[in-house]
Amino acid sequence: MRTGHFKERTAQLVALSDSKVVWSFAGLLLALVLAAPFLIGNYQVTLLVSAMIAIVGAVGLNMLTGTTGLISLGQAGFLAVGAYTNAILMMDHGWPVWLSMPAAGVVSALVSLLVGVPSLRLKGLYLAITTLAFAFIINHVILYAEWLTHGPNGIFVSGAKVMGVDLQRGKALYYLTFGITVLVVFAALNIQRSRVGRAWMAIRDHDIAARVMGVDLLRYKLYAFMVSSFIVGIAGALISLQIRFVNIDVFALILSIEALAIIILGGLGSIAGAILGAIFLSLLPEAIRLFFDVFADTNSSFYTTYVYEIRGITYGIVIIAFLRLKPEGLIGLWRDVRKYWSNWPLAY
């Protein structure tokens, strides 16, 4: 008797989904995203670019924290390494952007060894404090290594072109970011299903049992650090192209907190959750601004004056609410909705 999980060909085994409905919705979403720059204004396009960069960074952190269970608060440091590497190679050494961006990822991955090797025997809060210290160290190194990073003056990033197309214009940067986001998401989905990804999950679920089963903990933890930092470095390079000015103030500690909040709200260990969390938290400040704009001009000026305070309070309330009411995050909420829709009108 044929079952819903019966596979006849290798292509069916390696497919990301065997549901035609899922692929249909994915195709529709892809068409909408591709057409978005022609349907909305430049400001909305900029918001979508920010959301996609957040997705790339969140997927990278999710590989380390969600999939492998290694808590990191050094996200801002790796973003800074990627952004500065891209800016230095482009502006000081004349590298084309299609070379400087992968180089930013490689340099971030190599720098991750500096924090990964001493931290291999740490986990939990001890590892979190170590990575937090790394972010502080990177900030100070960038600030005082003026011969390389221009110190507090920062670096202007301009002239990013591929085949004559200015990548820092709205639509070009949008499609570049979208292409990289799709590549990163597909790569992460396949890495999770590979031997390395299953070893990471075994380490996350029970590291002693994983060692007994033959998983080399030190080696696979280093793999997790390097893969995660490579992706985060690419996100940093994209940030440098979007804001066109790299300065140490851009990579404050709050970035690490926001990155951790994104994968917690989205759902730890889930790529789809990281995507949902990144979109949600990237667009949340805009939703708050629209909320204040709806009522009166006085509220709008209040939001403008206390924008950072309101943003921080909102983040805190949202995180507390999700941890209390829905610990599985947005992806857990989506699974409940899908189950309810499938079983309706029955409860189970």
Side-chain angles (χ1 to χ4, degrees):
M1 180 177 177
R2 185 185 179 95
T3 70
H5 301 287
F6 187 80
K7 307 293 182 184
E8 295 177 310
R9 297 188 299 274
T10 304
Q12 293 176 322
L13 287 172
V14 299
L16 290 172
S17 174
D18 57 359
S19 170
K20 292 182 179 178
V21 176
V22 171
W23 285 113
S24 299
F25 274 107
L28 179 62
L29 180 63
L30 180 66
L32 285 175
V33 174
L34 287 174
F38 299 98
L39 303 175
I40 57 179
N42 290 332
Y43 178 68
Q44 287 77 20
V45 169
T46 303
L47 286 178
L48 290 180
V49 171
S50 300
M52 287 190 286
I53 293 175
I55 289 173
V56 175
V59 169
L61 180 62
N62 190 65
M63 302 296 285
L64 183 66
T65 301
T67 307
T68 317
L70 302 174
I71 301 174
S72 173
L73 289 175
Q75 193 82 343
F78 293 118
L79 282 172
V81 171
Y84 268 91
T85 302
N86 185 63
I88 292 170
L89 292 178
M90 279 184 59
M91 306 310 298
D92 292 349
H93 300 281
W95 284 35
V97 67
W98 57 271
L99 276 179
S100 62
M101 287 192 65
V106 171
V107 171
S108 293
L110 294 176
V111 170
S112 74
L113 294 177
L114 297 177
V115 64
V117 172
S119 308
L120 287 178
R121 298 188 183 280
L122 303 177
K123 58 183 179 180
L125 291 176
Y126 298 98
L127 179 62
I129 296 300
T130 304
T131 53
L132 179 64
F134 163 77
F136 281 113
I137 293 171
I138 284 294
N139 282 1
H140 281 81
V141 169
I142 291 174
L143 195 59
Y144 290 102
E146 295 188 25
W147 59 272
L148 180 64
T149 63
H150 301 204
N153 296 324
I155 305 174
F156 285 97
V157 182
S158 61
K161 293 183 179 179
V162 171
M163 300 178 68
V165 178
D166 186 355
L167 294 178
Q168 289 171 299
R169 288 191 173 182
K171 290 180 183 176
L173 181 61
Y174 176 88
Y175 287 116
L176 171 71
T177 310
F178 175 67
I180 292 175
T181 304
V182 171
L183 284 176
V184 166
V185 169
F186 271 91
L189 287 171
N190 284 290
I191 289 174
Q192 276 195 337
R193 302 187 310 159
S194 69
R195 179 180 178 182
V196 174
R198 296 185 190 282
W200 287 347
M201 294 178 196
I203 293 172
R204 176 195 63 192
D205 294 340
H206 203 297
D207 55 350
I208 297 176
R211 172 178 284 179
V212 171
M213 293 174 67
V215 175
D216 187 335
L217 298 187
L218 303 184
R219 183 157 60 101
Y220 281 99
K221 284 182 179 180
L222 271 186
Y223 287 165
F225 265 106
M226 295 186 69
V227 171
S228 170
S229 302
F230 178 85
I231 297 174
V232 174
I234 296 293
L238 288 173
I239 290 175
S240 70
L241 292 180
Q242 187 191 29
I243 63 176
R244 303 188 182 191
F245 177 67
V246 176
N247 183 277
I248 196 60
D249 294 335
V250 177
F251 306 98
L253 179 61
I254 188 65
L255 273 183
S256 299
I257 306 298
E258 288 181 355
L260 205 54
I262 283 174
I263 61 172
I264 290 174
L265 289 178
L268 279 174
S270 168
I271 300 298
I275 296 172
L276 290 176
I279 295 173
F280 181 79
L281 274 193
S282 298
L283 301 183
L284 183 60
E286 187 63 15
I288 298 171
R289 186 186 65 79
L290 292 174
F291 174 79
F292 277 89
D293 286 346
V294 165
F295 293 99
D297 293 338
T298 53
N299 286 336
S300 180
S301 61
F302 176 80
Y303 174 76
T304 305
T305 306
Y306 300 103
V307 55
Y308 291 107
E309 289 79 0
I310 294 173
R311 188 176 175 181
I313 292 172
T314 307
Y315 279 177
I317 292 174
V318 170
I319 291 172
I320 291 172
F322 266 92
L323 290 179
R324 176 66 183 86
L325 303 174
K326 203 66 186 173
E328 299 88 1
L330 291 169
I331 194 64
L333 190 63
W334 165 246
R335 286 169 184 156
D336 289 346
V337 171
R338 190 174 59 181
K339 187 184 296 182
Y340 177 82
W341 177 261
S342 302
N343 297 330
W344 190 85
L346 303 175
Y348 301 100

